[in-house]
Amino acid sequence: MPSERFTGLVAVLDAIRSGPGITQPELTERVGLGRSVVAQRVGELESAGLVANDGLGPSTGGRAPRRLRLRAEAGHVLGVDIASNELVVGLADLAGDIVAVRHEHVDVTSGPELTLAAAERMGDALVREAGLTGGVWAVGVGTPGPVAFERGDFLAGPHMPGWARYPLRARLARHWSAPTWIDDRVNLLALGEMWRNPAAADAAQLLYVGGGTTIAAAVVVDGRVYRGANGLSGAIGHIPVAGSGDVVCACGQTGCLEAVAGGTALAQNARLLAECGQSDALLAVLRESGRIRPVDITMAAEAGDQAARALLHRTGLLLGDSLATLVSLFDPELLVIGGGMARAGAHVLPSIGEAVRARVSSTTGQRLRIELSAVDEEVAGVTGAVQLAVGELFSRDQLSSWLDDRSPAGRPELAGVDAEDLSA
């Protein structure tokens, strides 16, 4: 187990990372360690190249205290967001601020080889363009399916043939010579929300729902993602929906929430509306492109198409009815609707709220806030992936394995080298 020294180092580093320009007296008060201990830990972090002076704070009668900051520029991490039809790779500094990003359309059903080759190519280009001769310190990866987080196993799902048990983590760690962590992307969407949305950051208990082709939820307890015993916490897409009939889900079961309210179901129902002559707007889309996407339904609803609006309202009710059980069980302060569903927010949020509050206790319903994601959908996943990489890199277990003389900040020639390689 890491010693008390590293427990103190992490506490000091986390406090410095949490806000700009904290003074050493403020730091001592916040972490609850003795003044001399804090001074020693700050000195170690400075020697490792992670912390630097940031000017002087206000004097309280004696010598003005110095401010401290994280040397965010000392290193970089990569975030990889694998969605069902898009790949986003971002390069960020050690504060988690993204400095460059690349997008590329992919089809995950083509298998892991093509998708990961594209991710490696995009990440390499970002590293090369930034002139990072030492590489990156860590990599965070989001996947559109469940992950056994501690083992780093991607469990995949029915939408991703050929991905189950693929050594995704090992491959990317080897390619970039950097420690790598993977997680279900809905968990990373929640991390990104907490990073960029003050309301989410302040909510100790948060429920984040990502709706698109798949439907999943992230559960946040006391500011930390709760993943469950097998990494499957929040897998609400396959909760059975009463009265859904014999609608077959991709998982092989019938009546799953995803099968009746997911993006594929939404597009299929919209096509029926078009073909039956109930929506002129959707029929026009179908005739022009040969298909109807969820975004087309939202655009039709925004243009006043009543059939599209009714479809989105019904979808919101179905989603809210299922979420009510999770809200009753978890009792969150804030429920955030993100993912593709957030694009139709004006048309689904009221019905989600209506269904949730109709089924939860009056106390829960009155206090629960239901909001749309405040983070740009295009970068929400990669923002969370970067936060995963930085958070794990600076965790107690990881910090104890590489800080000291192995610090990439203190020894540039070791930037991006995995701790296992160093101990070999």
Side-chain angles (χ1 to χ4, degrees):
M1 292 294 292
S3 67
E4 290 185 5
R5 171 195 167 212
F6 283 100
T7 300
L9 281 167
V10 169
V12 170
L13 183 57
D14 283 349
I16 294 172
R17 290 171 56 209
S18 68
I22 189 172
T23 65
Q24 200 152 315
E26 291 171 337
L27 189 58
T28 301
E29 182 177 351
R30 184 176 301 183
V31 301
L33 297 174
R35 186 170 58 182
S36 62
V37 174
V38 169
Q40 185 177 11
R41 300 296 173 257
V42 168
E44 291 181 77
L45 293 170
E46 288 179 312
S47 296
L50 292 175
V51 169
N53 285 336
D54 194 27
L56 297 177
S59 172
T60 57
R63 187 171 59 182
R66 61 182 183 137
R67 295 186 183 276
L68 300 167
R69 68 172 180 87
L70 173 72
R71 288 190 65 240
E73 71 280 7
H76 292 79
V77 301
L78 279 173
V80 179
D81 178 29
I82 305 172
S84 58
N85 59 1
E86 187 178 29
L87 181 63
V88 184
V89 181
L91 181 71
D93 62 22
L94 296 183
D97 291 324
I98 296 176
V99 297
V101 66
R102 288 193 169 215
H103 301 254
E104 192 167 304
H105 289 288
V106 298
D107 180 2
V108 295
T109 62
S110 64
E113 293 293 339
L114 291 177
T115 303
L116 295 182
E120 291 166 348
R121 170 172 44 78
M122 293 163 69
D124 289 346
L126 291 173
V127 170
R128 183 172 59 253
E129 290 165 3
L132 304 182
T133 57
V136 295
W137 289 24
V139 182
V141 184
T143 64
V147 171
F149 184 76
E150 294 300 329
R151 299 195 308 271
D153 290 341
F154 178 36
L155 305 179
H159 298 285
M160 301 181 69
W163 283 80
R165 304 294 178 180
Y166 185 88
L168 187 156
R169 179 180 182 179
R171 170 173 172 161
L172 296 184
R174 182 170 56 250
H175 179 83
W176 281 304
S177 298
T180 299
W181 292 272
I182 65 173
D183 202 354
D184 189 326
R185 74 184 298 265
V186 73
N187 289 336
L188 302 190
L189 289 170
L191 286 179
E193 194 74 27
M194 290 188 290
W195 175 244
R196 291 299 183 194
N197 181 355
D202 292 340
Q205 321 302 330
L206 167 70
L207 183 61
Y208 182 102
V209 178
T213 302
T214 59
I215 298 176
V219 178
V220 177
V221 179
D222 294 332
R224 298 179 62 86
V225 173
Y226 174 76
R227 297 183 174 89
N230 302 296
L232 299 175
S233 173
I236 63 172
H238 303 289
I239 292 176
V241 176
S244 59
D246 57 355
V247 179
V248 179
C249 181
C251 72
Q253 302 296 318
T254 58
C256 295
L257 175 63
E258 200 169 280
V260 298
T264 300
L266 197 61
Q268 289 173 343
N269 289 330
R271 188 182 185 103
L272 288 176
L273 291 174
E275 292 174 342
C276 293
Q278 297 184 43
S279 171
D280 292 340
L282 294 176
L283 180 59
V285 172
L286 183 61
R287 285 175 172 171
E288 181 177 349
S289 65
R291 62 172 182 165
I292 297 176
R293 303 165 299 166
V295 68
D296 297 320
I297 305 168
T298 300
M299 293 175 65
E302 290 175 348
D305 187 272
Q306 294 303 311
R309 288 184 173 183
L311 176 57
L312 291 175
H313 178 76
R314 174 181 175 274
T315 299
L317 290 175
L318 287 169
L319 184 58
D321 198 51
S322 294
L323 288 177
T325 301
L326 201 53
V327 168
S328 295
L329 177 66
F330 177 52
D331 189 24
E333 301 170 43
L334 177 65
L335 168 60
V336 175
I337 306 299
M341 191 66 70
R343 287 197 297 262
H347 304 284
V348 298
L349 197 64
S351 52
I352 289 173
E354 175 187 338
V356 168
R357 291 191 168 92
R359 293 197 53 198
V360 302
S361 71
S362 58
T363 300
T364 299
Q366 289 171 2
R367 295 182 177 179
L368 175 68
R369 290 176 293 143
I370 305 177
E371 300 178 1
L372 295 176
S373 171
V375 184
D376 184 349
E377 183 191 355
E378 291 190 357
V379 295
V382 76
T383 297
V386 162
Q387 290 304 309
L388 173 68
V390 172
E392 291 296 325
L393 183 68
F394 291 149
S395 68
R396 187 177 64 175
D397 291 348
Q398 289 297 318
L399 198 67
S400 66
S401 72
W402 62 262
L403 186 63
D404 295 335
D405 62 340
R406 298 175 178 177
S407 169
R411 296 176 60 189
E413 73 273 15
L414 296 182
V417 179
D418 196 329
E420 292 183 1
D421 296 332
L422 291 167
S423 59

